[in-house]
């Protein structure tokens, strides 16, 4: 006779749930079960608190075990940790989970090592066509029949099939209301990914329970290559794009993903979808009815817009375990790529980001698709949301295709175009102006402008200003050279009508002069705004004028005067009623202040250290630990500033701490990554590593764009020439090109760059001689 299984009491059941969700760091579920527990057992709060503490302790142990594996520590340290946990009398399977964390850490280390040791073979070429550009109005052809060549794996590029296998997996930690928080890291936010396999496409079977997090880098890349070569589809959405709500949004995320799949998937007359969704948390295979309801809701949404299409589709849903389908590892691979910072390079090479992996709210896309398919123009509010969505910035995306379709229709409809123009005007007159969004919308209006319509002068100046701001960001100088007279005319016309806008345009003009190394003309542009009353431009722009003026003085070597202006600017930013904007402006100006203080002979090391930790928001030691392995775009300027400080002011122990994390170093893209690599090179004492990093820094600068970046590249290459004379011809060619392109560099800089070929200065000395202030 089988032994009867012990069933826990209600009290023990709730305590286990409290402990489990504490270990999972799911505050919502902890509070829910804690409330239920205290209602039933009001005098047992202490027991509940103990279980919460135990759950947090086990979570911490899993983190420690992962780190031990990730750092390649011996298993003796893991054994010691397991013995410590065992003494607390926890269940054996919980101790096993700590071991699993250690093994995951080891697998991550192996993938990282593999990436460093071997050069990855190129993936199959991905042909991504230009966005849809219709020669005929939308009503001549249904939307679904247009060839949206967004990406070969995008659903609309697939051939119709009578049967589809659809597998869905998730990545990310958060599928609760936390996913809507700005405090959560992007890769931790929940995302759902679908793999769409048409009938007749036979993918190679993967080993049972194959899991990307435990796999080698070579295995991951092999799966990616298989998907890129296949006739399968990939589609993913982020839970962050759902309507904010309390509670778990996992099923809602699946439903929103299905909404898009049912609209985009090519169909035969009658189509069956075999849907397999990997279980998550408490959702088990026996909960198929919950998934069936989700599918029915998605079909209901489809039937309201496209009843005939909805009648053609039948879905057979199943919730499966990890080993529930031999292809489940493929969708797990795709999801792993999207949710792992360490896989960013591989993800970029697939072309899936912003094409198959959508950054735009799924419901927003669904509604836009439905309206355009029914030949209904989007309302100004709907157009605004679509035109400012993240994917809209990428030419090869579903959003860009939809906007192109709408644009061709709008070009034939002046009334609709003017409705969108009025919406933009209302945004301009509001107190919550978002310049990048305005620029994208104005650019769209210009592109699809009917012959009888025109932009207002104010909108034209905004569009020019944001274009110049983007050009300035990449150190380009040619954009402004062709627009100087247009800027002058518009600024003169609008000064008494909109002084703050003219002030903003002038600040961008000053930066354009800075990029040409023409600091005198930049001062001439800014000085009048420094001398007029604060109420003319308003406090925010007045503070930005002070900050810009401070930069110009720092470029001219007047660091002490620059420090005073930066401090005055910070005082004004702190007084802004829009505290969020004030913080953003303050951080940028505080960075300028720190650079000027580093270059000033009057700054004490103690004052500089205190100001730096205030900017970092943490201790210098902790910032070194956090930033050394970071490649996050939002942290790259802070990373650069930290390294600039370490090289000149850091203690030996602080430098060694940063260098000790060398195995975890990552490389991001764009300015100032060339300087992060440059300063890393100067920190290391390994000659070969120094040359390698300087070469990487030079290559990064060469990818950066305009003339200013070419000066920076020339300086870095000159620094490399001091270490390795084999790049002489390359340096000579670049020097001549750079000097000819920027006459405002001046005679002293010209001569010093040329002299580098015959009497080379060390890298840092050359950088100081040529590049002032934050150009290095």
């Amino acid at each position: 006779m089988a032994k009867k299984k012990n069933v826990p009491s209600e009290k023990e059941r709730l305590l286990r749930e409290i402990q489990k969700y504490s270990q999972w760091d799911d505050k919502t579920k902890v509070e829910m079960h804690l409330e239920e527990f205290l209602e039933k057992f009001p005098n047992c709060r202490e027991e509940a608190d103990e279980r919460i503490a135990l759950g947090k302790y086990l979570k911490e142990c899993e983190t420690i075990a992962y780190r031990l594996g990730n750092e390649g520590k011996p298993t003796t340290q893991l054994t010691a940790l397991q013995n410590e946990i065992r003494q607390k009398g926890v269940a054996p399977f919980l101790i096993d989970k700590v071991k699993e964390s250690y093994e995951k850490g080891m697998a991550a280390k192996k993938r990282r090592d593999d990436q460093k040791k071997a050069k990855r073979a190129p993936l199959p070429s991905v042909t991504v066509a230009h966005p849809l550009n219709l020669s005929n109005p939308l009503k001549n052809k249904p939307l679904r029949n247009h060839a949206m060549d967004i990406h070969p794996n995008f659903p609309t590029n697939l051939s119709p099939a009578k049967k589809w296998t659809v597998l869905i997996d998730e990545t990310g930690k958060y599928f609760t209301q936390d996913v809507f928080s700005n405090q959560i890291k992007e890769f931790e936010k929940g995302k759902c990914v679908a793999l769409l396999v048409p009938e007749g496409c036979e993918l190679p079977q993967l080993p049972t329970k194959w899991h990307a997090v435990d796999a080698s880098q070579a295995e991951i890349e092999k799966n990616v290559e298989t998907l890129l070569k296949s006739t399968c589809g990939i589609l993913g959405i982020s839970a962050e794009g759902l309507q904010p709500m309390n509670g778990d949004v996992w099923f809602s995320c699946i439903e929103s993903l299905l909404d898009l799949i049912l609209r985009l998937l090519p169909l035969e007359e009658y189509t069956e979808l075999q849907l397999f969704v990997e279980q998550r948390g408490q959702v088990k295979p026996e909960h198929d009815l919950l998934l069936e309801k989700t599918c029915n809701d998605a079909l209901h949404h489809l039937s309201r817009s496209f009843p005939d299409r909805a009648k053609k589709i039948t879905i057979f849903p199943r919730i499966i375990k990890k080993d529930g389908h031999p292809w489940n590892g493929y969708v797990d691979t795709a999801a792993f790529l999207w949710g792992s910072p360490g896989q960013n390079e591989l993800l970029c090479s697939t072309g899936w980001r912003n094409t198959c992996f959508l950054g735009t709210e799924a419901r927003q896309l669904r509604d836009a698709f439905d309206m355009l398919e029914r030949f209904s123009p989007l309302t100004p509010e709907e157009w605004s949301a679509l035109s400012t969505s993240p994917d809209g910035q990428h030419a090869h995306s579903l959003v860009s295709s939809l906007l192109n379709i709408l644009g061709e229709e709008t070009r034939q409809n002046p009334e609709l175009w003017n409705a969108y123009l009025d919406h933009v005007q209302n945004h301009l007159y509001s107190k919550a102006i978002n310049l990048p969004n305005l620029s994208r919308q104005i650019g769209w209006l210009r592109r699809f402008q009917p012959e009888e319509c025109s932009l207002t002068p104010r909108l034209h100046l905004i569009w020019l200003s944001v274009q110049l701001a983007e050009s300035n960001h990449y150190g380009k100088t040619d954009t402004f050279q062709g627009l100087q007279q247009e800027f002058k005319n518009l600024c003169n016309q609008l000064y008494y009508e909109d002084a703050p806008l003219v002030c903003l345009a002038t600040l961008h003009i000053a930066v354009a002069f800075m990029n040409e190394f023409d600091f005198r003309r930049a001062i001439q542009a800014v000085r009048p705004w420094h001398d007029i009353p604060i109420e003319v431009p308003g406090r925010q722009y007045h503070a930005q004028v002070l900050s810009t003026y401070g930069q110009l003085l720092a470029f001219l070597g007047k660091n002490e005067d620059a420090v005073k202006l930066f401090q005055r600017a910070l005082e004004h930013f702190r007084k802004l009623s829009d505290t969020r904007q004030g913080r953003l402006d303050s951080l940028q100006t505080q960075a300028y202040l720190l650079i000027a203080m580093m270059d000033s002979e009057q700054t004490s090391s103690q004052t500089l250290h205190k100001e730096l930790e205030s900017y970092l928001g943490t201790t210098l030691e902790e910032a070194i630990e956090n930033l050394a392995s970071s490649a996050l775009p939002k942290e790259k300027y802070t990373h650069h500033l930290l390294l600039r400080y370490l090289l000149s002011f850091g203690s030996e122990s602080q430098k060694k701490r940063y260098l000790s994390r060398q195995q975890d170093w990552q490389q991001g893209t764009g300015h100032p990554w060339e300087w992060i690599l440059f300063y890393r090179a100067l920190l290391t004492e390994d000659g070969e590593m120094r040359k390698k990093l300087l070469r990487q820094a030079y290559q990064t600068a060469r990818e950066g764009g305009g003339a200013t970046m070419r000066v920076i590249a020339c300086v870095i290459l000159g620094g490399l020439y001091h270490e390795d004379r084999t790049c002489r011809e390359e340096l000579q060619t670049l020097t001549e090109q750079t000097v000819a392109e920027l006459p405002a560099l001046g005679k002293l800089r010209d001569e010093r760059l040329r002299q580098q070929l015959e009497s080379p200065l060390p890298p840092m000395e050359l950088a100081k001689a040529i590049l002032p202030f934050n150009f290095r």
Side-chain angles (χ1 to χ4, degrees), residues 132-134 136-149 154-160 263-269 306 309 312 369 372-375 398 401-402 405:
L132 208 55
N133 190 5
L134 302 180
N136 299 313
L138 169 64
K139 54 193 171 194
N140 290 347
K141 198 175 185 184
L143 179 62
R144 275 193 307 273
N145 291 340
H146 287 297
M148 290 187 183
D149 294 322
F154 191 74
T156 54
N157 277 339
L158 309 180
S159 299
R263 283 158 175 76
L264 298 172
L265 201 63
L267 302 182
E268 291 284 7
E269 281 303 304
F306 310 110
R309 185 175 175 85
K312 296 178 182 178
F369 188 97
L372 290 173
E373 179 74 4
R374 296 197 302 266
F375 318 128
L398 176 59
S401 289
L402 293 176
I405 291 168

Side-chain angles (χ1 to χ4, degrees), residues 421-436:
L421 177 67
D422 289 343
H423 183 85
V424 173
Q425 291 273 44
N426 291 335
H427 179 181
L428 179 58
Y429 285 111
S430 74
K431 296 298 182 183
I433 295 176
N434 184 312
L435 284 176

Side-chain angles (χ1 to χ4, degrees), residues 23 58-67 97-98 101:
Q23 187 172 351
L58 291 170
K59 173 67 176 175
E60 183 182 352
C61 288
E62 287 182 8
T63 303
I64 293 170
Y66 181 88
R67 190 167 67 243
K97 282 191 171 295
V98 173
S101 293

Side-chain angles (χ1 to χ4, degrees), residues 305-435:
S305 297
F306 310 110
D308 292 339
R309 185 175 175 85
K311 291 174 185 175
K312 296 178 182 178
I313 301 173
T314 303
I315 306 176
F316 299 96
R318 280 183 56 195
I319 294 174
I320 60 171
K321 296 181 179 179
K322 188 162 290 296
D323 58 352
H325 197 285
W327 296 339
N328 197 42
Y330 289 107
V331 69
D332 178 83
T333 299
F336 178 72
L337 245 62
W338 197 12
S340 303
Q343 296 295 329
N344 185 59
E345 184 183 354
L346 181 57
L347 175 58
C348 289
S349 69
T350 65
W352 289 339
R353 180 182 279 141
N354 299 111
T355 55
C356 299
F357 294 156
L358 306 177
T360 302
E361 181 182 329
R363 184 177 62 83
Q364 185 185 109
L365 279 173
R366 184 196 73 189
D367 293 348
F369 188 97
D370 288 1
M371 294 204 59
L372 290 173
E373 179 74 4
R374 296 197 302 266
F375 318 128
S376 300
L378 303 186
T379 67
E381 291 73 22
E382 290 165 335
W383 166 78
S384 177
L386 197 65
S387 63
T388 57
S389 66
D391 293 343
Q393 301 174 54
H394 300 269
H396 313 298
S397 70
L398 176 59
V399 171
S400 291
S401 289
L402 293 176
L403 285 170
N404 287 342
I405 291 168
L406 177 63
E408 293 297 339
E409 190 80 347
T410 305
R411 200 197 302 275
Q412 312 301 321
N413 189 339
E415 185 179 348
L416 180 61
W417 189 90
N418 278 310
Y420 294 154
L421 177 67
D422 289 343
H423 183 85
V424 173
Q425 291 273 44
N426 291 335
H427 179 181
L428 179 58
Y429 285 111
S430 74
K431 296 298 182 183
I433 295 176
N434 184 312
L435 284 176

Side-chain angles (χ1 to χ4, degrees), residues 141-282:
K141 198 175 185 184
L143 179 62
R144 275 193 307 273
N145 291 340
H146 287 297
M148 290 187 183
D149 294 322
I150 295 166
H151 187 285
N153 292 125
F154 191 74
T156 54
N157 277 339
L158 309 180
S159 299
K162 292 184 177 180
K163 291 184 179 180
W164 292 85
T165 299
V166 179
L167 298 111
I168 293 180
D169 194 10
E170 94 278 346
T171 183
K173 179 180 177 181
Y174 294 98
F175 279 89
T176 61
Q177 64 263 36
D178 293 321
V179 78
F180 307 111
S181 168
N182 291 328
Q183 305 302 314
I184 303 301
K185 293 179 180 177
E186 180 60 33
F187 69 89
E188 291 186 326
K189 294 181 178 181
K191 303 171 183 70
C192 283
V193 177
L195 173 66
L196 317 171
V197 187
E199 184 180 28
C201 173
E202 288 299 324
L203 294 172
Q205 293 192 10
L206 293 173
T208 304
K209 293 187 178 180
W210 192 94
H211 198 193
V213 77
D214 301 322
S216 69
Q217 188 65 23
E219 290 175 307
I220 292 169
E221 290 175 8
K222 183 180 179 182
N223 283 358
V224 170
E225 184 175 359
T226 298
L227 291 175
L228 289 174
K229 287 180 176 178
S230 74
T231 56
C232 298
I234 300 283
L235 194 67
I237 65 170
S238 173
E240 185 182 18
L242 303 179
Q243 200 68 19
M245 56 180 282
N246 294 323
D248 194 281
V249 297
W250 185 66
F251 273 115
S252 299
C253 200
I254 292 172
E255 182 180 316
S256 296
L257 181 56
L258 278 173
D259 280 341
L260 291 176
I261 291 171
L262 297 180
R263 283 158 175 76
L264 298 172
L265 201 63
L267 302 182
E268 291 284 7
E269 281 303 304
Y270 173 78
T271 300
E272 292 182 6
L273 268 61
Q274 297 286 341
L275 177 65
F276 300 92
V277 178
E278 187 180 323
Q279 68 180 45
R280 176 182 178 274
Q282 288 187 309

